[in-house]
């Protein structure tokens, strides 16, 4: 699913942190250990009725902090959300069984997690976690290659990071040594480029084969990166 032409990437808020930090649940005896996403860190108490200030590491706080939502700490203790509201850059949350300021203060510094979404469902919805994208090879889209006489099977870069931009998420593309992809290309110094993560520019994400396709407008990518895929 693309909304406003922006691919749906779960857990992006790189201005702070991301809820896509994946950890194994060491308290789970199941050999198929659960994957947990870091959602927030509890801060100081708010008032005298048990509410706490929370710093979110997620771009889906309305979902993660909705009444009835269940989060867990690293020891597996559950925290049930009774109510929540946003205040400036933080959230104020009341958890079940936290009845007064003393109980709220005791939670200060605890990080809370939730279960990762089902990867098959996310793929069906065309949604990804940043950790799914980081490390993928970057290739040029077939349509771009047809217009510019280049090879769409050649890796021109790798996804180094997924960042939170002002208008949309950004992919940081890190160049590879030209000789790694094309023995006929000249060597170039490593470089990084930020690319808007929108469908028009990133039309394909293929997790199975480990690459994304880029259809860059003129001037977005440096010539040195494009030259790696140029046909001789």
């Amino acid at each position: 699913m693309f909304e406003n032409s922006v691919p749906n990437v779960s857990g992006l808020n790189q201005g702070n942190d991301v809820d896509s930090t994946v950890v194994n649940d060491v308290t789970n005896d199941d050999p198929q250990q659960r994957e947990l996403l870091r959602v927030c860190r509890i801060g100081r108490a708010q008032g005298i009725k048990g509410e706490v200030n929370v710093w979110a590491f997620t771009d889906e706080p309305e979902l993660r902090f909705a009444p009835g939502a269940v989060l867990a700490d690293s020891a597996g203790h559950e925290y049930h959300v009774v109510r929540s509201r946003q205040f400036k850059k933080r959230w104020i949350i009341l958890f079940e069984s936290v009845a007064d300021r003393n109980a709220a203060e005791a939670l200060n510094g605890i990080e809370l997690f939730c279960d990762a979404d089902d990867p098959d469902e996310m793929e069906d919805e065309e949604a990804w976690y940043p950790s799914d994208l980081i490390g993928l090879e970057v290739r040029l889209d077939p349509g771009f290659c047809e217009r510019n006489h280049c090879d769409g099977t050649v890796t021109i870069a790798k996804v180094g990071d997924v960042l939170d931009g002002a208008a949309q998420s950004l992919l940081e593309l890190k160049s590879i040594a030209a000789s790694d992809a094309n023995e006929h290309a000249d060597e170039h110094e490593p470089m990084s480029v930020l690319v808007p993560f929108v469908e028009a520019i990133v039309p394909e994400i293929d997790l199975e084969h480990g690459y994304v396709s880029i259809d860059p407008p003129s001037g977005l990518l440096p010539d040195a990166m494009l030259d790696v895929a140029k046909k001789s």
Side-chain angles (χ1 to χ4, degrees), residues 130-143:
S131 56
D132 295 331
L133 303 174
I134 294 172
L136 293 182
E137 295 179 354
V138 178
R139 304 176 185 177
L140 294 171
D141 180 71

Side-chain angles (χ1 to χ4, degrees), residues 69-174:
V70 180
L71 305 174
D73 62 21
S74 59
H77 301 126
E78 292 187 344
Y79 294 74
H80 296 250
V81 177
V82 176
R83 64 173 181 264
S84 65
R85 66 185 189 276
Q86 187 173 12
F87 181 73
K88 296 183 178 179
K89 293 185 178 181
R90 64 184 187 276
W91 283 74
I92 297 172
I93 300 177
L94 177 65
F95 292 108
E96 190 176 290
S97 302
V98 182
D100 56 35
R101 186 177 183 87
N102 288 337
E105 287 289 4
L107 304 181
N108 196 346
I110 293 176
E111 292 190 340
L112 298 181
F113 303 81
C114 71
D115 286 317
D117 294 328
D118 183 271
D120 292 332
E121 292 181 1
M122 290 182 66
E123 187 171 359
D124 290 341
E125 296 174 1
E126 296 188 353
W128 303 271
Y129 289 116
S131 56
D132 295 331
L133 303 174
I134 294 172
L136 293 182
E137 295 179 354
V138 178
R139 304 176 185 177
L140 294 171
D141 180 71
F144 178 91
C145 289
E146 190 173 316
R147 298 189 303 270
N148 294 275
H149 195 61
C150 54
D151 187 349
T153 67
V154 171
T155 300
I156 65 167
K158 289 193 175 181
V159 179
D161 206 348
V162 185
L163 307 174
D164 189 30
Q168 68 271 311
S169 300
L170 302 169
L171 296 184
E172 180 188 24
L173 309 188
K174 291 190 174 182

Side-chain angles (χ1 to χ4, degrees), residues 182-210:
N182 184 341
E183 61 182 0
H184 301 296
D186 295 330
E187 289 285 352
H188 296 287
E189 291 296 321
M191 66 190 75
S192 294
V193 181
L194 295 180
V195 171
F197 190 28
V198 296
E199 186 178 14
I201 298 176
V202 189
E204 182 180 11
I205 296 95
D206 190 332
L207 297 183
E208 182 179 356
H209 296 99

